[in-house]
Amino acid sequence: MHKYVIMGVQGCGKGTQAKLLAQDLDLVHISVGDIFRWNIQQHTKLAARIKRIVSDGRLVPDDIVADIVHNRLDEHDWNYGFILDGFPRNRTQAEFFLERFDIDAVIDIQVPDHVVLERVMSRRLCSGCGLDYNLIHHRPAVADRCDVCGGSLVARPDDTEAALRARLADFHTVTRPVLDLFSRKELVVRVDGTLPVAEVQAEIRRELGLPQYQPS
């Protein structure tokens, strides 16, 4: 069983890398961001509160994040392990998490802020099927139209420069110290997130001693 945490500032590619690991190792990919977006799409009771917070560029409060993650992990559907994306975000969450789970490694994907800004401002989402695009690396065949369903491509509501700068500031002041805590326990592996996707995945696997990545 493998239990990993993947960390890095928004736009570093951690979701993409987590999915690649999950597919090959039969891990459950638990993404806090995906859970939030699902709530918003389904108009749950939690959705309105999350939407206001995220659109302002603020992090969702610790108690909400912790409850969502703990409830998800308590489902125990991760027979071969999990890769947790978007949690823990602060020292309190990290300490509580380490008390409950014996994790194998924390993957820190490192990308400079200016690269993150460029990537995030180029992201688009299909309004029909929800497929992700990026106007730098994953352009649609027809401008502003989804290749799969033909739906219009839109920017995420929280992908504004002001909101992103606020999230970057939160990451460096609140979340970055979490990595220092994990580092003292010798759990952290660091990879260069500015490399192409396949090279980042290959580097992660080398650092973790996993089978070599074979792009499809």
Side-chain angles (χ1 to χ4, degrees):
M1 181 181 288
H2 300 284
K3 296 188 288 294
Y4 300 120
V5 172
I6 192 162
M7 299 184 69
V9 73
Q10 184 182 28
C12 72
K14 59 183 181 292
T16 297
Q17 298 301 329
K19 288 173 184 175
L20 290 173
L21 279 176
Q23 288 168 3
D24 278 3
L25 301 176
D26 288 327
L27 305 178
V28 173
H29 175 209
I30 301 174
S31 165
V32 173
D34 286 350
I35 294 173
F36 289 163
R37 283 187 283 276
W38 181 89
N39 274 272
I40 291 171
Q41 290 168 358
Q42 299 300 315
H43 305 288
T44 66
K45 292 180 179 179
L46 186 60
R49 186 178 178 193
I50 292 176
K51 197 169 183 178
R52 285 196 302 272
I53 292 167
V54 172
S55 63
D56 288 341
R58 294 180 287 129
L59 291 177
V60 177
D62 295 346
D63 57 338
I64 294 178
V65 177
D67 284 346
I68 287 173
V69 172
H70 297 157
N71 290 339
R72 180 65 184 83
L73 288 171
D74 284 345
E75 293 180 18
H76 289 288
D77 59 344
W78 33 276
N79 296 330
Y80 296 99
F82 60 78
I83 181 161
L84 184 55
D85 170 4
F87 184 89
R89 296 183 176 184
N90 60 45
R91 188 182 182 90
T92 300
Q93 291 176 354
E95 290 174 342
F96 182 79
F97 182 70
L98 285 171
E99 289 175 2
R100 295 189 61 188
F101 297 98
D102 182 21
I103 60 173
D104 297 296
V106 176
I107 304 160
D108 176 19
I109 301 182
Q110 300 184 322
V111 177
D113 286 0
H114 72 275
V115 175
V116 170
L117 277 164
E118 181 183 18
R119 286 182 179 180
V120 171
M121 297 308 293
S122 299
R123 294 196 304 196
R124 296 295 184 271
L125 191 67
C126 175
S127 58
C129 66
L131 187 66
D132 284 312
Y133 288 85
N134 188 290
L135 301 184
I136 300 174
H137 302 298
H138 180 202
R139 292 174 177 268
V142 177
D144 299 324
R145 289 291 169 186
C146 177
D147 295 339
V148 176
C149 73
S152 60
L153 302 187
V154 297
R156 294 180 184 177
D158 55 324
D159 279 355
T160 66
E161 185 170 346
L164 178 57
R165 289 192 183 279
R167 291 195 294 271
L168 285 169
D170 276 330
F171 179 84
H172 292 304
T173 58
V174 178
T175 306
R176 179 60 65 182
V178 173
L179 285 162
D180 296 335
L181 172 65
F182 286 138
S183 293
R184 288 197 291 274
K185 296 181 179 294
E186 299 183 346
L187 292 170
V188 179
V189 298
R190 294 180 171 85
V191 297
D192 181 0
T194 65
L195 298 172
V197 169
E199 292 182 30
V200 176
Q201 182 69 194
E203 186 176 348
I204 289 172
R205 295 188 183 211
R206 282 195 299 270
E207 292 288 340
L208 296 177
L210 296 172
Q212 185 176 355
Y213 176 54
Q214 301 290 341
S216 56

